[in-house]
C-alpha cells in the first residue's frame, strides 16, 4: 500500500506550523478557540498554498519542467506563492491571471514585481481559455513546461492538507471542530480526507467564499487524493459540511467578514484577509452566536494566510 510518505515532495516551508489558543476570543465566544498558523508556512508571506506546492513543484521538477504556469485572479495568493516557489527552485514561473481584482502594482502584484515574475492578464472569465493559452505559450517556448491549476487544487495539491491533518493529529490536542475557507476546494478536501484518516471525532467545516458547487468539487478531490495514497476508505461527502459565507461575491468584502477581521485584529493582534480568512472566521462567529459549540468544545480555525492581498483591496 502507498502512503503519504511515498509521494515525492520538495521542502518549501517550515513545518509543523504552530497551534495557538486564542484566549480573548475563547472568553468572548464561551468555547475553546485555537488557531493553526498556516499563515506562517515560511515561504513568501506564508499561506496554505505552500503545502500544496511542495507536492506540485516536486512533480514539475521530476518531469524536467523549466517553466511553471499557473493562474488565478489578479491578487491570487496562490499565483504569487507559485512564483516564490519557482524562484527558490530555480525555475521560471509564468502567471496568466484573470483580469479581475486589483491589477495595479499593489499587494501580490507588488510582490510579483519584486520577484521579477512574468505576469500576463487575460480578459476572460473561463479558466479553460487560460489553460489553452498556457499550452500555446509552452509549445512556442519549446521547453518542458508544467501547468498548475487555479488554487493548486488537484488531487496532488490536496495531499498537502491531508498532511496538515496528520500534523494536527501529532500536535497533541483533540479538536471537536475544524474550520477552513473553501475557495478552490483543495484545502477543505485535504483536511476532510485527512480528518477521516487521522482525526476521528473532529468535524470538518468548509466556509465557502465563492459560489462554486463545493459539495461535488470537494468529494471528487477527496476521492482522487485518496486514490493517490491508496487510502481504502469509503467517502460519502458526509466527512465535511459547508456554510455559505461568500456574501456579495468572491473577493468582494462582506460585512460579516470585515467585522470578523476587525475582531481578530482587536482581540488577538492577528490579521486575517477580506477574501478568505475573514469570511471563514465569520462562520465560526455565526455558529457560536447560534450556540453550535459547548463551553468545553475545542474549535480549530485554520488560518490559511492571505497577507499579500490584504494591501490590495478595492
Ligand atoms: C487559496 C486560499 C484559500 C482557499 O483555499 P482553497 O484550497 O483554494 O480552497 C484560503 N485562504 C487563502 C488566504 C488563500 O489564498
Amino acid at each position: 500500500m502507498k502512503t503519504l510518505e511515498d509521494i515525492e515532495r520538495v521542502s518549501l516551508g517550515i513545518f509543523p506550523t504552530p497551534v495557538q489558543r486564542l484566549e480573548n476570543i475563547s472568553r468572548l465566544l464561551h468555547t475553546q478557540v485555537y488557531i493553526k498558523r498556516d499563515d506562517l508556512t515560511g515561504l513568501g508571506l506564508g499561506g496554505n498554498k505552500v503545502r500544496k506546492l511542495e507536492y506540485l513543484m516536486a512533480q514539475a521538477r521530476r518531469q524536467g519542467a523549466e517553466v511553471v504556469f499557473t493562474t488565478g485572479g489578479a491578487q491570487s495568493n496562490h499565483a504569487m506563492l507559485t512564483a516564490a516557489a519557482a524562484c527558490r527552485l530555480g525555475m521560471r514561473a509564468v502567471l496568466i491571471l484573470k483580469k479581475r481584482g486589483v491589477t495595479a502594482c499593489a499587494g501580490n502584484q507588488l510582490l510579483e514585481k519584486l520577484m521579477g515574475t512574468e505576469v500576463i492578464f487575460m480578459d476572460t472569465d473561463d479558466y479553460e481559455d487560460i489553460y489553452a493559452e498556457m499550452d500555446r505559450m509552452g509549445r512556442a517556448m519549446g521547453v518542458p513546461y508544467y501547468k498548475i491549476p487555479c488554487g493548486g487544487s488537484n488531487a496532488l495539491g490536496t495531499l498537502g492538507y491531508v498532511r496538515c491533518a496528520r500534523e494536527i493529529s501529532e500536535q497533541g490536542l483533540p479538536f471537536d471542530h475544524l474550520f477552513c475557507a473553501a475557495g478552490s476546494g483543495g484545502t477543505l478536501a485535504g483536511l476532510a480526507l485527512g480528518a477521516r484518516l487521522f482525526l476521528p471525532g473532529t468535524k470538518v467545516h468548509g466556509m465557502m467564499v465563492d459560489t462554486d458547487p463545493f459539495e461535488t468539487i470537494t468529494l471528487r478531490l477527496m476521492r482522487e487524493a485518496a486514490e493517490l495514497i491508496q487510502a481504502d476508505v469509503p467517502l460519502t461527502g458526509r466527512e465535511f459540511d459547508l456554510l455559505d459565507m461568500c456574501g456579495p461575491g468572491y473577493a468582494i468584502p462582506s460585512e460579516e467578514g470585515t467585522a470578523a477581521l476587525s475582531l481578530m485584529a482587536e482581540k488577538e493582534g492577528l490579521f486575517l484577509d477580506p477574501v478568505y480568512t475573514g469570511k471563514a472566521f465569520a462562520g465560526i462567529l455565526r455558529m457560536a452566536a447560534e450556540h453550535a459549540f459547548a463551553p468545553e468544545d475545542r474549535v480549530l480555525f485554520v488560518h490559511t494566510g492571505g497577507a499579500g492581498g490584504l494591501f490590495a483591496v478595492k
Side-chain angles (χ1 to χ4, degrees):
M1 190 188 113
K2 270 202 171 138
T3 71
L4 218 40
E5 293 318 308
D6 298 316
I7 312 287
E8 194 179 13
R9 193 172 60 87
V10 54
S11 169
L12 292 172
I14 303 170
F15 301 110
T17 58
V19 170
Q20 296 170 312
R21 189 181 145 82
L22 299 177
E23 292 292 346
N24 298 323
I25 287 187
S26 295
R27 210 172 303 121
L28 206 67
L29 302 188
H30 306 291
T31 190
Q32 313 305 312
V33 186
Y34 293 79
I35 190 165
K36 172 74 171 163
R37 298 295 305 275
D38 268 22
D39 56 325
L40 302 179
T41 46
L43 178 71
L45 300 181
N48 61 340
K49 303 310 179 317
V50 177
R51 291 188 191 266
K52 299 177 180 188
L53 286 164
E54 289 201 324
Y55 286 105
L56 295 164
M57 295 301 275
Q59 186 172 69
R61 201 165 63 168
R62 160 168 297 264
Q63 291 180 4
E66 290 175 29
V67 174
V68 176
F69 289 102
T70 198
T71 185
Q75 287 297 329
S76 166
N77 302 305
H78 160 70
M80 186 274 283
L81 283 166
T82 301
C87 288
R88 172 85 70 87
L89 299 173
M91 293 158 93
R92 175 176 164 199
V94 178
L95 312 181
I96 309 183
L97 307 179
K98 277 188 183 175
K99 212 171 180 172
R100 77 171 180 192
V102 177
T103 55
C105 187
N108 284 307
Q109 282 303 314
L110 171 65
L111 302 177
E112 282 152 23
K113 188 173 176 213
L114 293 176
M115 293 185 286
T117 311
E118 293 164 71
V119 179
I120 297 161
F121 292 111
M122 211 170 147
D123 204 356
T124 176
D125 264 326
D126 189 350
Y127 279 118
E128 291 311 316
D129 294 342
I130 293 182
Y131 298 132
E133 178 63 14
M134 290 174 185
D135 284 321
R136 199 198 57 75
M137 278 186 71
R139 280 193 300 266
M141 287 170 180
V143 296
Y145 64 94
Y146 185 84
K147 294 184 290 180
I148 297 179
C150 168
S153 281
N154 55 19
L156 190 59
T158 293
L159 291 183
Y161 273 84
V162 176
R163 198 178 172 80
C164 178
R166 192 180 65 182
E167 185 176 296
I168 292 167
S169 78
E170 290 163 354
Q171 286 180 300
L173 273 178
F175 291 100
D176 302 284
H177 300 272
L178 189 157
F179 284 79
C180 70
S184 59
T187 302
L188 174 61
L191 287 170
L193 173 59
R196 177 72 183 75
L197 298 173
F198 306 114
L199 297 166
T202 305
K203 221 167 137 40
V204 177
H205 307 268
M207 303 291 103
M208 298 184 283
V209 302
D210 205 341
T211 52
D212 298 317
F214 284 104
E215 225 166 280
T216 347
I217 293 169
T218 308
L219 183 57
R220 180 177 49 79
L221 284 171
M222 286 172 71
R223 288 188 168 145
E224 290 172 2
E227 203 171 317
L228 283 183
I229 53 171
Q230 296 175 8
D232 193 13
V233 286
L235 299 169
T236 63
R238 282 189 303 270
E239 296 78 16
F240 61 95
D241 61 25
L242 293 165
L243 189 59
D244 180 3
M245 295 306 297
C246 185
Y250 173 73
I252 304 172
S254 69
E255 235 169 82
E256 251 183 305
T258 305
L261 192 153
S262 297
L263 185 80
M264 184 69 92
E266 286 167 18
K267 296 294 170 194
E268 303 287 352
L270 297 176
F271 300 108
L272 304 177
D273 79 292
V275 181
Y276 298 99
T277 51
K279 289 181 179 181
F281 186 61
I284 295 184
L285 299 183
R286 193 196 283 181
M287 284 180 62
E290 291 165 355
H291 310 288
F293 313 122
E296 67 279 8
D297 277 0
R298 286 203 189 92
V299 177
L300 182 64
F301 173 61
V302 181
H303 189 337
T304 43
L310 186 57
F311 298 97
V313 188
K314 263 192 181 153

